[in-house]
């Protein structure tokens, strides 16, 4: 998928919502545990109930790997289900990978070719040759951590490095890498005031914004400071939507939560586009 | 496994060699491709041929994930084979994971519980709450990236942050985290001159040292500057050993390469312990 196609989908659906798929067997409705693949059944129901309100799904690989081979099979079924039934939806493997060049190539192959995701999240610590193998894939997108939504973000990401915070240096340096037009960035919603500075460095890039919902970020603040003239935001919500109810009405309640966020987004889009 | 047990095994085998298992279907001997699970058969043969010369095996998760479910099954068979046949060997899941707290907990569950590795590599960028969930597991070890062996290491890891390089700040900060005694660190062999500085910050920690062999690092230099009074090093070699031959003699040639490294290690251990 191209960023232009993603942009068009956002305007059409009046939504820049991405739903995080973090399926935890201790949290999903108990009646699903009787099915053969509870994780897939859970994801499928959430997807069917929300696909017209969202432009993206972001399965978090940890929540599949924790269940071993069975979990990896659920991940494959989930991405296949999205690609077959809702091919216009932007898919993100939230994997936060990154390693030396030949290893990153194998990760890129895993997520872009074997699983056929549109994008994957990566960590910047190992630098250029750990990220460029991902960037080499045409019409695939590499979403690099810049400023994350957790407390630990302040341990290293905001350290002063030669006069600027590390996350700003990460953004600036990454723009010099080959095929950097395939980069997007993770910027946590819990730090809306940082978006102004970030937009000075990467005015045109899509930002994936976690931290809305369970982590406490404000959608209007994020849009005020982070939106660009192509929208340029994918706002992720996971727990607040997928665990809106633990009962048999979980998909219906998930839709209600997603609809509530999408309505707020529609108002913002109508006002600005 | 405790670090004391690892130390004892090192003295007993006169080896601190770790063999990296990076199985690539385009590089493994072609006659193995006719077997049902070429990746596992390759790993098994390498392990059987080298287990008395090494103290650790480090499967790199990317090289399994690239083959999807079949690859994940090969990873599970490989770790099970080591744990069942050579239970004294220290196992490292080279996964370079790291995410917000509840997600890192799931990764820890994947590698420490489901797959039963002794250790896993993690990335530091997201800070304290992305690493502490791994540290909570007793007698399991979390090997955090400090200074890596690739060119990209100089993009961010050596940036000056408030008067010291970022990797030194990462080392120092990590010592304040809960259960930090379960931390080990990745330090690339291609930068032996940095070990002196690193040992001032983490004198007692085990360091996992990639970069010997195909990446060009020198064993004697690493030992000169990086060894502590408990040895404190795990030196990894992957490609130089596992791809020593592409023929039917690959396991035999892998043993020869491993033996050559182990002999050099034995000389160093005999001289210092």
């Amino acid at each position: 998928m191209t960023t232009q196609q993603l942009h068009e989908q956002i305007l059409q659906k009046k939504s820049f919502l991405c739903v995080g798929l973090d399926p935890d067997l201790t949290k999903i409705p108990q009646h699903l545990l009787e099915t053969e693949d509870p994780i897939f059944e859970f994801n499928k129901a959430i997807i069917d109930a929300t696909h017209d309100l969202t432009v993206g799904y972001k399965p978090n690989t940890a929540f599949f790997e924790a269940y071993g081979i069975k979990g990896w099979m659920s991940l494959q079924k989930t991405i296949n289900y999205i690609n077959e039934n809702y091919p216009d939806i932007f898919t993100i493997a939230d994997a936060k990978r990154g390693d030396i060049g030949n290893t990153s190539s194998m990760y890129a192959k895993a997520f872009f070719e074997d699983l056929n995701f549109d994008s994957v999240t990566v960590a910047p610590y190992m630098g250029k040759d750990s990220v460029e193998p991902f960037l080499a894939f045409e019409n695939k997108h590499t979403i690099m951590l810049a400023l994350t939504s957790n407390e630990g973000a302040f341990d290293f990401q905001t350290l002063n490095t030669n006069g600027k915070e590390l996350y700003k240096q990460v953004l600036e340096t990454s723009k010099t890498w080959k095929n950097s037009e395939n980069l997007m960035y993770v910027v946590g919603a819990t730090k809306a005031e940082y978006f102004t500075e970030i937009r000075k460095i990467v005015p045109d890039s899509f930002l994936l914004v976690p931290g809305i919902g369970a982590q406490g970020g404000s959608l209007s603040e994020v849009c005020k400071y982070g939106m660009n003239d192509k929208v340029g935001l994918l706002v992720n919500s996971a727990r607040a939507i997928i665990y809106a109810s633990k009962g048999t009405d979980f998909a219906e309640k998930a839709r209600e939560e997603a609809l509530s966020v999408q309505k707020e987004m529609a108002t913002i889009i109508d006002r600005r586009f």
Side-chain angles (χ1 to χ4, degrees), chain A:
Chain A
M1 183 181 299
T2 65
T3 49
Q4 180 58 28
Q5 287 169 321
L6 177 57
H7 172 66
E8 284 162 13
Q9 191 190 168
I10 287 170
L11 294 187
Q12 190 192 330
K13 287 183 171 172
K14 295 190 179 182
S15 170
F16 42 99
L17 174 63
C18 175
V19 173
L21 299 173
D22 303 0
D24 182 336
L25 286 180
T26 66
K27 289 183 183 167
I28 69 175
Q30 295 302 294
H31 71 280
L32 291 178
L33 299 184
E34 293 155 21
T35 64
E36 202 189 331
D37 187 344
I39 287 179
F40 173 67
E41 293 302 330
F42 177 73
N43 291 342
K44 180 176 174 298
I46 296 284
I47 292 162
D48 286 338
T50 59
H51 69 92
D52 57 320
L53 305 171
T54 70
V55 293
Y57 288 107
K58 180 175 76 61
N60 182 326
T61 54
F63 287 78
F64 298 86
E65 292 177 24
Y67 305 110
I69 290 161
K70 212 167 148 53
W72 200 265
M73 289 174 77
S74 304
L75 176 62
Q76 183 148 65
K77 280 165 75 177
T78 300
I79 179 66
N80 288 351
Y81 186 78
I82 300 168
N83 283 338
E84 282 161 20
N85 294 279
Y86 310 108
D88 294 338
I89 295 246
F90 186 72
T91 53
I92 303 168
D94 195 1
K96 302 195 171 70
R97 300 298 199 263
D99 207 316
I100 61 171
N102 72 321
T103 300
S104 276
S105 293
M106 296 304 264
Y107 281 129
K109 191 167 135 58
F111 293 105
F112 292 152
E113 290 184 351
D114 184 71
L115 291 169
N116 198 17
F117 275 93
D118 291 312
S119 66
V120 63
T121 58
V122 302
Y125 193 72
M126 293 182 68
K128 174 177 171 166
D129 52 308
S130 71
V131 178
E132 281 190 343
F134 293 96
L135 299 177
F137 285 74
E138 206 176 355
N139 292 332
K140 299 286 185 178
H141 306 272
T142 304
I143 311 178
M144 192 164 76
L145 300 179
L147 186 62
T148 59
S149 58
N150 61 323
E151 266 302 303
F154 298 104
D155 282 335
F156 308 120
Q157 296 167 27
T158 54
L159 282 180
N160 187 311
T161 56
N162 302 325
K164 64 175 72 102
E165 291 98 326
L166 176 60
Y167 76 90
K168 289 185 187 169
Q169 187 63 59
V170 165
L171 289 168
E172 285 185 5
T173 301
S174 72
K175 289 170 70 179
T176 67
W177 296 342
K178 195 174 178 188
N179 300 310
S180 63
E181 67 278 9
N182 293 333
L183 274 170
M184 299 181 177
Y185 301 95
V186 174
V187 178
T190 46
K191 305 185 179 63
E193 69 275 20
Y194 289 84
F195 278 90
T196 310
E197 295 292 302
I198 288 168
R199 276 301 182 203
K200 286 182 192 162
I201 307 171
V202 288
D204 302 323
S205 304
F206 262 96
L207 306 180
L208 172 64
V209 185
I212 292 284
Q215 293 183 64
S218 151
L219 179 62
S220 63
E221 288 285 297
V222 167
C223 293
K224 184 175 171 188
Y225 299 109
M227 207 169 243
N228 65 16
D229 61 6
K230 293 268 195 179
V231 183
L233 294 175
L234 284 170
V235 170
N236 189 73
S237 179
R239 285 171 276 179
I241 290 176
I242 67 176
Y243 299 128
S245 161
K246 287 192 173 190
T248 52
D249 62 346
F250 72 99
E252 192 184 322
K253 294 293 180 193
R255 180 175 176 81
E256 284 175 20
E257 282 295 319
L259 186 61
S260 157
V261 179
Q262 185 270 329
K263 278 183 174 168
E264 201 180 340
M265 289 177 169
T267 306
I268 294 167
I269 287 177
D270 283 339
R271 203 165 55 222
R272 294 191 45 169
F273 295 90

